[in-house]
Amino acid sequence: MEVNTSEKLIDAPNTDASLWHWANMTATLACDAICRINNGFRDRGTWWQALENAAEQVCWGCDQEPWPNERDYGHQIWQAIHQASLPIRTVAARANLWSVPCPKGIQRRDRGTRCLIGHFVYGIMCFFKWMGEAGQENFALTNLESVMDLAPIVAKAPCKDEWAFPVAEVSENYERILTLVWHRHMPVPTHWLPASGPLQCKRQRLREPQERRKRQNPVSPRETLKVSKPSEPGAQYNVQCLVLVVYPQEVERMSMVSDTYAKHCDSLLFFTAGPAPSHFRGYPVVNLQNGFDIGPDSQANSNVSDQNTIFKTFLAFNFAGLAMQRSSSIPDVICRLDSDTLFLPSNLRRILSCRNFSASDLWAIGRENYAHKHEQPGRVFLNGGTGICLSREAVKLLSLEIQTGRFAKSSSTNDWNTGDCVVAPGHWDDVALGACLSKLGVPISRWGTDCEGRSLFWPDELQYAFSGPDQIWPRRWPPKGSYFQPPSTERSTKPRTNRQPDVANYHFWLYRVWQYLSCHPKLWLADYPVSFHPYRNRSQGRRCCRGC
């Protein structure tokens, strides 16, 4: 129970009128306005969680200056966009947005209770401001991220209709921009568009470049998880599995792969950078040191400079590309997998068949990671642990670039993150590959998630998909400062484990507000998952893959 107090304010100099407005409205006999402010300042990490009805607090303080002016200003900009049909890059000059003091990064809010819907519209203004200045596009996009982190709570606010820019409209435009800029490596679109309708979970996506209009073998809704046969949907997709391993340290994992999903790949190869038998359980083992310039596989606890994962990934794809030139059996999809990836090729074939993907087009599919969108190398990449699958044409292009020496090669562990195609020592092969896919113009498919935003490539242990205290679930409370601040790890680690549920949820949903904005499924794992990561031994893998 809160205790009334009239002690000196902890942060009195910074206590503005809007904060007093909130404090007076929520004061009780047990805790007056000063008490409310003190309680908030004492524990800023739980400021919003302490409020009983957060949706009603979004509009508090909006009757204080300068928010009424901003509300009118927002409406003027919205009218210019929709009534005058101004292109995105011309809005700033027409509306004199040069005078708005916008952050060059994620918006930080000093007061969690100060008119969050005002901060929502302010971030949109800053997006248009930076888009009107040459070379400032990245600042514009980071401001739009700040807008999206407020979208879930603004969508429920009672005053949302009094302000310009409906949440549905902002969400649709953000998703369109994210798809074009980060997945297809294209410029920000010319115009901001009105919403196609109210917020809804299942929403139609624009056809991706590799999706062919003529559908073959339409998929039955009753299709099961069993492996495809020649007469079944998806059988036309030949899937090749490239598994990166360290021999003999990972023999147990190689056994798990051989005992589970290997038989469902049309072909499977293990890749090492060191001595190994030519075959393991009947599957070829390729020592990349025979024919390629690559350092040996590192041992446990080795330095970053000793790790060769970036080299190994590029050379495995290059090996697959070279093999296509002399083989009559050419795969349609080539998937690079970790030794502890659990992969279901039949479900990959299913989504490719559903969308009628063409292997003759450039594309990549997997678990999209947005962590480095606004950092070096400034690209979306696909998580290596859940598998990275490239079309036949993408592998041919990647292999050709390597063979013709167009990739830079470096001995420095710091050169791989320049944003160029650089092959260098280190472990972060998925980030390095993401930079190369962007440079080569290989689109990253959005079908790593289904129409409800549920994951097809699950980056965690399977148990965390299901109900329980550790279930992967997006935050629903409004942020005190910004969603893009990692939670404290001081008290969040589970006893006798290294798992930190709050931190795991944060990294799972980073930059993905648009994905769950209007969806509330019981779990965020799709009905036909393609892969899981991680497991750590054979027994865990076999238990997870029971029935394979």
Side-chain angles (χ1 to χ4, degrees):
M1 179 178 177
E2 294 172 312
V3 178
N4 195 357
T5 178
S6 58
E7 64 186 72
K8 183 179 179 180
L9 294 178
I10 296 174
D11 200 6
N14 296 320
T15 308
D16 59 19
S18 64
L19 190 60
W20 277 110
H21 177 71
W22 166 81
N24 286 317
M25 289 190 67
T26 60
T28 64
L29 291 177
C31 186
D32 61 13
I34 294 178
C35 168
R36 296 294 289 172
I37 292 174
N38 278 336
N39 286 342
F41 280 123
R42 282 196 185 97
D43 191 356
R44 298 190 183 200
T46 58
W47 176 276
W48 270 104
Q49 288 84 337
L51 300 179
E52 294 181 357
N53 191 351
E56 294 182 0
Q57 320 313 324
V58 179
C59 309
W60 283 355
C62 293
D63 55 350
Q64 307 294 317
E65 292 293 338
W67 299 115
N69 295 337
E70 186 202 16
R71 180 161 48 227
D72 294 339
Y73 206 16
H75 280 289
Q76 292 175 20
I77 295 171
W78 189 88
Q79 290 169 1
I81 295 168
H82 294 294
Q83 295 179 4
S85 298
L86 289 181
I88 288 175
R89 295 186 183 274
T90 65
V91 172
R94 178 71 66 90
N96 294 321
L97 290 176
W98 60 268
S99 61
V100 178
C102 292
K104 292 186 175 181
I106 294 296
Q107 181 192 155
R108 303 294 180 182
R109 291 174 287 280
D110 296 330
R111 293 288 178 266
T113 54
R114 185 177 179 183
C115 195
L116 287 186
I117 196 168
H119 283 284
F120 179 78
V121 175
Y122 166 65
I124 298 173
M125 290 183 188
C126 291
F127 165 75
F128 286 110
K129 173 187 175 175
W130 293 124
M131 285 302 299
E133 298 187 17
Q136 307 297 340
E137 182 175 291
N138 202 48
F139 296 145
L141 296 175
T142 53
N143 274 271
L144 202 55
E145 300 286 2
S146 291
V147 172
M148 287 304 297
D149 77 19
L150 288 170
I153 192 64
V154 170
K156 298 180 288 187
C159 62
K160 62 180 182 296
D161 294 332
E162 300 171 15
W163 293 71
F165 297 101
V167 172
E169 178 179 301
V170 176
S171 179
E172 279 194 26
N173 279 277
Y174 173 72
E175 189 172 355
R176 183 167 60 104
I177 291 171
L178 178 139
T179 300
L180 292 176
V181 174
W182 300 115
H183 285 252
R184 300 187 188 175
H185 323 301
M186 298 171 65
V188 173
T190 305
H191 286 83
W192 182 278
L193 302 179
S196 60
L199 281 174
Q200 56 182 350
C201 181
K202 287 188 177 181
R203 51 197 184 277
Q204 293 295 321
R205 294 180 187 165
L206 294 176
R207 181 178 286 106
E208 295 183 349
Q210 73 276 7
E211 296 179 29
R212 291 294 177 252
R213 290 182 179 275
K214 185 178 179 181
R215 305 278 296 275
Q216 296 177 355
N217 298 327
V219 178
S220 167
R222 296 183 178 276
E223 183 185 1
T224 64
L225 291 173
K226 62 183 180 179
V227 67
S228 298
K229 297 178 181 178
S231 61
E232 293 180 330
Q236 69 268 30
Y237 293 100
N238 182 303
V239 178
Q240 184 177 60
C241 301
L242 313 179
V243 185
L244 310 187
V245 299
V246 177
Y247 188 89
Q249 291 92 322
E250 295 182 344
V251 165
E252 185 182 22
R253 295 184 181 183
M254 295 170 70
S255 298
M256 195 289 306
V257 172
S258 301
D259 291 344
T260 55
Y261 69 81
K263 59 188 175 184
H264 300 315
C265 301
D266 292 285
S267 59
L268 183 142
L269 298 90
F270 292 108
F271 286 87
T272 71
S278 61
H279 286 75
F280 182 87
R281 299 280 186 88
Y283 296 100
V285 180
V286 179
N287 179 2
L288 291 170
Q289 288 190 307
N290 297 332
F292 297 102
D293 183 13
I294 182 174
D297 286 329
S298 58
Q299 304 302 310
N301 302 319
S302 63
N303 296 322
V304 175
S305 59
D306 297 330
Q307 296 175 346
N308 64 359
T309 315
I310 295 175
F311 279 94
K312 188 180 283 188
T313 288
F314 282 112
L315 292 179
F317 278 126
N318 187 26
F319 184 93
L322 290 169
M324 290 184 199
Q325 300 174 11
R326 55 180 183 269
S327 174
S328 58
S329 176
I330 300 178
D332 298 301
V333 190
I334 299 91
C335 297
R336 164 248 176 268
L337 306 164
D338 277 353
S339 60
D340 59 349
T341 305
L342 185 61
F343 186 55
L344 300 174
S346 56
N347 285 347
L348 174 64
R349 294 187 185 97
R350 182 183 189 279
I351 188 62
L352 301 181
S353 181
C354 281
R355 306 307 306 181
N356 202 27
F357 274 39
S358 169
S360 299
D361 287 343
L362 299 172
W363 51 266
I365 191 170
R367 162 75 181 181
E368 311 97 317
N369 192 314
Y370 300 104
H372 295 309
K373 257 197 314 136
H374 303 302
E375 304 171 17
Q376 286 292 354
R379 298 289 184 265
V380 174
F381 64 95
L382 298 175
N383 274 13
T386 49
I388 301 172
C389 297
L390 304 184
S391 68
R392 176 179 62 235
E393 200 65 22
V395 171
K396 286 182 178 179
L397 175 61
L398 194 65
S399 179
L400 178 63
E401 293 291 308
I402 295 174
Q403 294 170 47
T404 53
R406 294 195 181 100
F407 280 19
K409 188 175 180 180
S410 172
S411 60
S412 172
T413 59
N414 296 320
D415 287 347
W416 60 266
N417 65 348
T418 61
D420 207 341
C421 283
V422 179
V423 181
H427 182 66
W428 304 109
D429 61 309
D430 45 8
V431 183
L433 179 61
C436 289
L437 294 180
S438 175
K439 186 174 181 64
L440 297 177
V442 177
I444 296 176
S445 174
R446 282 276 310 279
W447 289 106
T449 58
D450 65 12
C451 287
E452 297 181 55
R454 299 178 301 174
S455 181
L456 286 159
F457 295 78
W458 188 255
D460 213 327
E461 294 181 44
L462 181 59
Q463 68 202 63
Y464 301 125
F466 300 102
S467 297
D470 297 334
Q471 184 180 14
I472 295 293
W473 199 261
R475 286 184 284 175
R476 298 293 185 180
W477 290 99
K480 168 61 176 74
S482 169
Y483 267 118
F484 309 109
Q485 294 172 282
S488 170
T489 61
E490 294 177 2
R491 295 177 300 222
S492 61
T493 304
K494 289 193 66 180
R496 298 183 296 278
T497 72
N498 292 323
R499 183 170 177 80
Q500 299 166 335
D502 291 341
V503 176
N505 282 9
Y506 169 80
H507 287 291
F508 187 98
W509 291 111
L510 186 63
Y511 297 117
R512 291 177 179 270
V513 174
W514 54 271
Q515 188 174 324
Y516 64 79
L517 185 56
S518 56
C519 291
H520 303 269
K522 293 182 179 179
L523 70 162
W524 287 99
L525 176 64
D527 292 336
Y528 297 91
V530 173
S531 67
F532 301 96
H533 184 263
Y535 64 85
R536 287 294 176 255
N537 56 51
R538 184 180 180 186
S539 60
Q540 287 180 344
R542 288 186 62 84
R543 183 167 60 250
C544 187
C545 195
R546 191 170 294 151
C548 289

